[in-house]
Amino acid sequence: IDWETVKNETDIDYAIIRCGYGNDFEDQDDAQWERNASECTRVGMPFGVYIYSYALDTEEALSEAEHVLRLVEGYNLDLPIYLDLEDEKYTGSLSNEEIADIAEVFCDKIEEAGYEVGIYANLYWFNNKLTDPRFDRWEKWIAQYNEQCDYEGAYGMWQCTSTGKVKGIEGNDGEVDLNFDYIDRGYKDIKLYPVQNLVAEPAGKSKIILYWEYVSG
């Protein structure tokens, strides 16, 4: 990834970088983690991280948390650390309560270290597997490749496609996941100015038309 191009020549505001997967072994670090994190830091691209979980019990959940904490040490994260729960073969074979136990151990460890934490999963997992009330304690990042997110609960981020095109990103036919962040985390420098002469007029049943004078932004 040419992070300088992504930062300066696109409308991308942030990135979520995979740091690794599974237990705390160096051979399960993401091969591009260090470069991606260092480049985002260098060019000023706000970023958070995720780890792909294979945990089958709370001991492995703790190891996955330690895996992330080892890798993020020394970096300034503008967005949370996310636990990616979607593996059907391993974690997906457990009961809903066991999956929540794993998430709780992971998230508690991350929060104890002073980081914000969240859970990433697809819509099916959130509706059918991540149903324990404990999941309401953590931010939810929903993956649903659609024109809208149909999750009925609260969520902070929505992954809308896996086939996005972003200048500066090559490989995989140039396709990349795209997301919308709905939380003001303070990483965007937005200058907003009040409009002038705002007028609201009724326009039939349950409709209002707004008029205002143009201002920059």
Side-chain angles (χ1 to χ4, degrees):
I1 297 175
D2 180 351
W3 284 106
E4 198 147 350
T5 296
V6 175
K7 176 66 171 65
N8 297 320
E9 299 182 31
T10 77
D11 62 356
I12 299 299
D13 297 309
Y14 67 95
I16 308 293
I17 304 171
R18 188 179 76 166
C19 63
Y21 46 91
N23 290 322
D24 189 14
F25 303 123
E26 288 188 5
D27 64 354
Q28 294 188 173
D29 297 353
D30 187 294
Q32 293 294 320
W33 155 251
E34 187 173 352
R35 179 187 180 279
N36 285 333
S38 297
E39 281 293 281
C40 281
T41 301
R42 181 182 68 83
V43 305
M45 173 65 77
F47 71 97
V49 307
Y50 78 92
I51 185 169
Y52 188 94
S53 179
Y54 291 110
L56 288 170
D57 53 43
T58 55
E59 183 177 349
E60 290 190 331
L62 182 60
S63 180
E64 292 184 346
E66 291 170 343
H67 190 177
V68 177
L69 294 175
R70 170 173 60 84
L71 293 174
V72 300
E73 185 175 2
Y75 290 104
N76 179 34
L77 302 185
D78 298 281
L79 291 101
I81 292 170
Y82 294 94
L83 180 65
D84 183 345
L85 293 173
E86 57 181 325
D87 190 83
E88 291 287 351
K89 182 178 179 181
Y90 294 99
T91 310
S93 67
L94 305 176
S95 70
N96 288 11
E97 183 178 4
E98 288 172 322
I99 297 174
D101 291 341
I102 285 169
E104 185 172 40
V105 167
F106 178 93
C107 291
D108 284 353
K109 182 68 175 180
I110 297 298
E111 289 180 327
E112 286 171 8
Y115 295 95
E116 295 183 357
V117 71
I119 303 294
Y120 168 93
N122 58 55
L123 181 64
Y124 174 82
W125 267 62
F126 272 114
N127 284 338
N128 295 279
K129 294 180 181 291
L130 310 185
T131 57
D132 190 285
R134 283 173 284 179
F135 283 102
D136 292 331
R137 291 167 44 190
W138 312 299
E139 181 192 329
K140 297 175 182 178
W141 174 14
I142 314 289
Q144 182 188 11
Y145 302 155
N146 192 25
E147 62 184 11
Q148 66 185 29
C149 181
D150 295 318
Y151 185 66
E152 295 182 355
Y155 57 95
M157 196 178 301
W158 167 40
Q159 185 170 98
C160 61
T161 183
S162 62
T163 58
K165 300 287 187 179
V166 175
K167 186 177 181 181
I169 298 182
E170 306 293 338
N172 193 34
D173 295 325
E175 296 180 343
V176 65
D177 299 341
L178 294 181
N179 303 271
F180 289 100
D181 185 9
Y182 298 109
I183 296 177
D184 181 2
R185 308 177 197 272
Y187 60 80
K188 289 186 70 174
D189 183 20
I190 303 175
K191 292 182 174 61
L192 299 178
Y193 303 93
V195 298
Q196 301 298 314
N197 297 322
L198 178 64
V199 177
E201 294 183 353
K205 186 177 180 181
S206 69
K207 183 179 290 187
I208 296 174
I209 295 179
L210 301 177
Y211 303 91
W212 61 89
E213 290 183 10
Y214 170 84
V215 295
S216 177

Coordinates of all heavy atoms in Angstrom, one line a residue, residues 115-157:
Y115 N -6.6 0.7 26.3 CA -7.0 0.9 24.9 C -8.6 0.8 24.8 O -9.2 0.0 25.6 CB -6.4 -0.1 24.0 CG -4.9 0.0 23.8 CD1 -4.1 -0.8 24.6 CD2 -4.4 0.9 22.9 CE1 -2.7 -0.7 24.5 CE2 -3.0 1.0 22.8 CZ -2.1 0.2 23.6 OH -0.8 0.3 23.4
E116 N -9.2 1.4 23.8 CA -10.6 1.2 23.5 C -10.7 -0.1 22.7 O -9.7 -0.5 22.0 CB -11.1 2.3 22.7 CG -11.2 3.6 23.4 CD -11.8 4.8 22.6 OE1 -12.2 4.5 21.4 OE2 -11.9 5.9 23.1
V117 N -11.8 -0.8 22.9 CA -11.9 -2.1 22.3 C -13.3 -2.3 21.6 O -14.2 -1.6 22.0 CB -11.7 -3.2 23.4 CG1 -12.9 -3.3 24.3 CG2 -11.5 -4.6 22.8
G118 N -13.3 -3.1 20.6 CA -14.6 -3.4 19.9 C -14.6 -4.8 19.4 O -13.6 -5.5 19.4
I119 N -15.8 -5.2 18.8 CA -16.0 -6.5 18.2 C -16.4 -6.3 16.8 O -17.3 -5.6 16.4 CB -17.1 -7.3 19.0 CG1 -16.8 -7.4 20.5 CG2 -17.3 -8.6 18.3 CD1 -15.6 -8.3 20.8
Y120 N -15.6 -7.0 15.9 CA -16.0 -7.1 14.5 C -16.6 -8.4 14.2 O -16.1 -9.4 14.6 CB -14.7 -6.9 13.6 CG -14.9 -7.2 12.1 CD1 -15.3 -6.2 11.2 CD2 -14.8 -8.5 11.7 CE1 -15.5 -6.4 9.9 CE2 -15.0 -8.7 10.3 CZ -15.3 -7.7 9.4 OH -15.5 -8.0 8.1
A121 N -17.7 -8.4 13.4 CA -18.3 -9.6 12.9 C -19.2 -9.3 11.8 O -19.7 -8.1 11.6 CB -19.0 -10.4 14.0
N122 N -19.6 -10.3 11.0 CA -20.6 -10.1 10.0 C -22.0 -10.1 10.6 O -22.2 -10.4 11.8 CB -20.5 -11.1 8.9 CG -20.7 -12.5 9.4 OD1 -21.7 -12.9 10.1 ND2 -19.7 -13.4 9.1
L123 N -23.0 -9.6 9.9 CA -24.4 -9.4 10.4 C -24.9 -10.7 10.9 O -25.6 -10.8 12.0 CB -25.3 -8.9 9.3 CG -26.7 -8.6 9.6 CD1 -26.8 -7.5 10.7 CD2 -27.5 -8.2 8.4
Y124 N -24.6 -11.9 10.2 CA -25.2 -13.2 10.7 C -24.6 -13.5 12.1 O -25.4 -13.9 12.9 CB -24.8 -14.3 9.7 CG -25.2 -15.6 10.2 CD1 -26.5 -16.1 10.0 CD2 -24.2 -16.4 10.8 CE1 -26.8 -17.4 10.5 CE2 -24.6 -17.7 11.3 CZ -25.9 -18.1 11.1 OH -26.3 -19.4 11.6
W125 N -23.3 -13.3 12.3 CA -22.8 -13.6 13.6 C -23.4 -12.7 14.7 O -23.7 -13.2 15.8 CB -21.3 -13.4 13.6 CG -20.5 -14.7 13.2 CD1 -20.6 -15.4 12.1 CD2 -19.6 -15.4 14.1 NE1 -19.8 -16.5 12.1 CE2 -19.2 -16.5 13.4 CE3 -19.1 -15.2 15.3 CZ2 -18.3 -17.4 13.9 CZ3 -18.2 -16.1 15.9 CH2 -17.8 -17.2 15.1
F126 N -23.6 -11.4 14.4 CA -24.2 -10.6 15.4 C -25.6 -11.0 15.7 O -26.0 -10.9 16.9 CB -24.1 -9.1 15.0 CG -22.8 -8.4 15.4 CD1 -21.9 -8.0 14.4 CD2 -22.5 -8.2 16.7 CE1 -20.7 -7.4 14.8 CE2 -21.3 -7.6 17.1 CZ -20.4 -7.2 16.2
N127 N -26.3 -11.4 14.7 CA -27.7 -11.7 14.9 C -27.9 -13.1 15.5 O -29.0 -13.4 16.2 CB -28.5 -11.6 13.6 CG -28.8 -10.2 13.2 OD1 -28.8 -9.3 14.1 ND2 -29.0 -10.0 12.0
N128 N -26.9 -14.0 15.3 CA -27.2 -15.4 15.7 C -26.2 -16.0 16.7 O -26.5 -16.9 17.4 CB -27.1 -16.3 14.5 CG -28.3 -16.0 13.5 OD1 -29.4 -16.4 13.7 ND2 -28.0 -15.2 12.5
K129 N -25.0 -15.5 16.8 CA -23.9 -16.0 17.7 C -23.5 -15.0 18.8 O -23.3 -15.5 19.9 CB -22.7 -16.4 16.9 CG -22.9 -17.6 15.9 CD -21.7 -17.9 15.1 CE -21.9 -19.1 14.2 NZ -22.1 -20.4 14.9
L130 N -23.5 -13.8 18.4 CA -23.0 -12.8 19.4 C -24.2 -12.1 20.1 O -24.4 -10.9 20.1 CB -22.1 -11.7 18.7 CG -21.0 -12.3 17.9 CD1 -20.1 -11.2 17.3 CD2 -20.2 -13.3 18.6
T131 N -25.0 -13.0 20.7 CA -26.3 -12.5 21.3 C -26.3 -12.3 22.8 O -27.2 -11.9 23.4 CB -27.4 -13.5 20.9 OG1 -27.0 -14.8 21.4 CG2 -27.6 -13.6 19.4
D132 N -25.2 -12.7 23.4 CA -25.0 -12.6 24.9 C -25.1 -11.1 25.2 O -24.5 -10.3 24.5 CB -23.7 -13.2 25.3 CG -23.6 -13.3 26.8 OD1 -23.4 -12.2 27.5 OD2 -23.7 -14.4 27.4
P133 N -25.8 -10.7 26.3 CA -25.9 -9.3 26.7 C -24.5 -8.6 26.9 O -24.4 -7.4 26.8 CB -26.7 -9.3 28.0 CG -27.4 -10.6 27.9 CD -26.6 -11.6 27.2
R134 N -23.5 -9.4 27.2 CA -22.2 -8.8 27.4 C -21.6 -8.1 26.1 O -20.8 -7.1 26.2 CB -21.2 -9.9 27.8 CG -21.3 -10.3 29.2 CD -20.4 -11.5 29.6 NE -21.0 -12.7 29.1 CZ -20.4 -13.9 29.2 NH1 -19.2 -14.0 29.8 NH2 -20.9 -15.0 28.7
F135 N -22.1 -8.5 25.0 CA -21.6 -7.8 23.7 C -22.1 -6.3 23.6 O -21.5 -5.6 22.9 CB -22.0 -8.6 22.5 CG -21.2 -9.8 22.3 CD1 -21.6 -11.1 22.6 CD2 -19.9 -9.7 21.7 CE1 -20.8 -12.2 22.4 CE2 -19.1 -10.8 21.6 CZ -19.6 -12.0 21.9
D136 N -23.1 -6.0 24.4 CA -23.5 -4.6 24.5 C -22.5 -3.7 25.2 O -22.7 -2.5 25.2 CB -24.9 -4.5 25.1 CG -26.0 -5.1 24.2 OD1 -25.8 -5.1 23.0 OD2 -27.0 -5.6 24.8
R137 N -21.6 -4.3 25.8 CA -20.6 -3.5 26.6 C -19.5 -2.9 25.6 O -18.8 -2.0 26.0 CB -19.9 -4.4 27.6 CG -20.8 -4.7 28.8 CD -20.2 -5.9 29.6 NE -18.7 -5.7 29.9 CZ -17.9 -6.6 30.4 NH1 -18.5 -7.8 30.7 NH2 -16.7 -6.4 30.6
W138 N -19.4 -3.5 24.4 CA -18.3 -3.1 23.5 C -18.8 -2.6 22.2 O -19.9 -3.0 21.8 CB -17.4 -4.3 23.3 CG -17.0 -5.0 24.5 CD1 -16.3 -4.5 25.6 CD2 -17.3 -6.4 24.9 NE1 -16.2 -5.4 26.6 CE2 -16.8 -6.6 26.2 CE3 -18.0 -7.4 24.3 CZ2 -16.9 -7.8 26.9 CZ3 -18.2 -8.6 24.9 CH2 -17.6 -8.8 26.2
E139 N -18.1 -1.7 21.6 CA -18.5 -1.2 20.3 C -18.6 -2.3 19.3 O -17.8 -3.2 19.3 CB -17.4 -0.1 19.8 CG -17.8 0.4 18.4 CD -16.7 1.2 17.8 OE1 -15.9 1.8 18.5 OE2 -16.6 1.2 16.6
K140 N -19.6 -2.2 18.4 CA -19.8 -3.2 17.4 C -19.5 -2.6 16.0 O -19.9 -1.6 15.7 CB -21.3 -3.7 17.4 CG -21.7 -4.3 18.7 CD -23.1 -4.7 18.8 CE -23.5 -5.3 20.1 NZ -24.9 -5.6 20.2
W141 N -18.7 -3.4 15.3 CA -18.3 -3.1 13.9 C -19.0 -4.2 13.0 O -18.6 -5.3 13.1 CB -16.8 -3.1 13.8 CG -16.2 -2.9 12.4 CD1 -16.8 -2.5 11.3 CD2 -14.9 -3.1 12.1 NE1 -16.0 -2.4 10.3 CE2 -14.7 -2.8 10.7 CE3 -13.7 -3.5 12.8 CZ2 -13.5 -2.9 10.0 CZ3 -12.5 -3.7 12.1 CH2 -12.4 -3.3 10.7
I142 N -20.0 -3.8 12.3 CA -20.8 -4.7 11.5 C -20.3 -4.8 10.1 O -20.2 -3.8 9.4 CB -22.3 -4.3 11.5 CG1 -22.7 -3.8 12.9 CG2 -23.2 -5.4 10.9 CD1 -22.9 -4.9 13.9
A143 N -20.2 -6.0 9.6 CA -19.9 -6.2 8.2 C -21.1 -6.7 7.5 O -21.7 -7.8 7.8 CB -18.7 -7.3 8.0
Q144 N -21.6 -5.9 6.6 CA -22.8 -6.3 5.7 C -22.6 -5.6 4.4 O -22.7 -4.4 4.3 CB -24.1 -6.0 6.3 CG -25.3 -6.4 5.5 CD -26.6 -5.9 6.0 OE1 -26.7 -5.0 6.8 NE2 -27.7 -6.4 5.4
Y145 N -22.3 -6.4 3.4 CA -22.0 -5.8 2.0 C -23.3 -5.6 1.4 O -24.0 -6.4 0.7 CB -21.1 -6.8 1.2 CG -19.8 -7.1 1.9 CD1 -19.1 -8.2 1.7 CD2 -19.3 -6.2 2.9 CE1 -17.9 -8.5 2.3 CE2 -18.1 -6.5 3.5 CZ -17.4 -7.6 3.2 OH -16.2 -7.9 3.9
N146 N -23.8 -4.3 1.5 CA -25.1 -3.9 1.2 C -25.2 -2.4 1.0 O -24.2 -1.7 1.3 CB -26.1 -4.4 2.3 CG -27.5 -4.3 1.9 OD1 -27.9 -4.4 0.7 ND2 -28.4 -4.2 2.9
E147 N -26.3 -1.9 0.5 CA -26.5 -0.5 0.4 C -26.8 0.2 1.7 O -26.9 1.4 1.9 CB -27.5 -0.1 -0.6 CG -28.9 -0.6 -0.3 CD -29.9 -0.4 -1.4 OE1 -29.5 0.0 -2.5 OE2 -31.1 -0.6 -1.1
Q148 N -27.1 -0.6 2.7 CA -27.4 -0.1 4.1 C -27.1 -1.2 5.1 O -27.0 -2.4 4.7 CB -28.9 0.3 4.2 CG -29.8 -0.9 4.1 CD -31.3 -0.5 4.2 OE1 -31.7 0.6 3.8 NE2 -32.2 -1.4 4.7
C149 N -26.9 -0.8 6.3 CA -26.7 -1.8 7.4 C -28.0 -2.1 8.1 O -28.7 -1.2 8.6 CB -25.7 -1.3 8.4 SG -25.3 -2.4 9.7
D150 N -28.4 -3.4 8.1 CA -29.7 -3.8 8.7 C -29.6 -4.2 10.1 O -30.6 -4.7 10.6 CB -30.2 -4.9 7.8 CG -30.5 -4.5 6.4 OD1 -31.0 -3.4 6.2 OD2 -30.2 -5.2 5.4
Y151 N -28.5 -4.1 10.8 CA -28.4 -4.5 12.2 C -29.3 -3.5 13.0 O -29.2 -2.3 12.8 CB -27.0 -4.4 12.7 CG -26.8 -4.9 14.1 CD1 -27.0 -6.2 14.4 CD2 -26.4 -4.0 15.1 CE1 -26.9 -6.7 15.7 CE2 -26.3 -4.5 16.4 CZ -26.5 -5.8 16.7 OH -26.4 -6.2 18.0
E152 N -30.1 -4.1 13.9 CA -31.1 -3.3 14.6 C -30.6 -2.7 15.9 O -31.2 -1.9 16.5 CB -32.4 -4.1 14.8 CG -33.1 -4.5 13.5 CD -34.3 -5.3 13.8 OE1 -34.6 -5.6 15.0 OE2 -35.1 -5.6 12.8
G153 N -29.4 -3.2 16.4 CA -28.9 -2.6 17.6 C -27.9 -1.5 17.3 O -27.8 -1.0 16.2
A154 N -27.3 -1.0 18.4 CA -26.3 0.1 18.2 C -25.0 -0.4 17.7 O -24.5 -1.5 18.0 CB -26.1 0.7 19.6
Y155 N -24.4 0.4 16.8 CA -23.0 0.0 16.3 C -22.3 1.3 15.9 O -22.9 2.3 15.7 CB -23.2 -0.9 15.0 CG -24.0 -0.3 13.9 CD1 -23.4 0.3 12.9 CD2 -25.4 -0.5 13.9 CE1 -24.1 0.8 11.8 CE2 -26.1 0.0 12.8 CZ -25.5 0.7 11.8 OH -26.3 1.2 10.8
G156 N -21.0 1.2 15.9 CA -20.1 2.3 15.7 C -19.5 2.4 14.3 O -19.2 3.5 13.8
M157 N -19.4 1.2 13.6 CA -18.8 1.2 12.3 C -19.5 0.2 11.5 O -20.0 -0.9 12.0 CB -17.3 0.9 12.4 CG -16.5 1.2 11.2 SD -14.7 0.9 11.4 CE -14.3 2.0 12.7

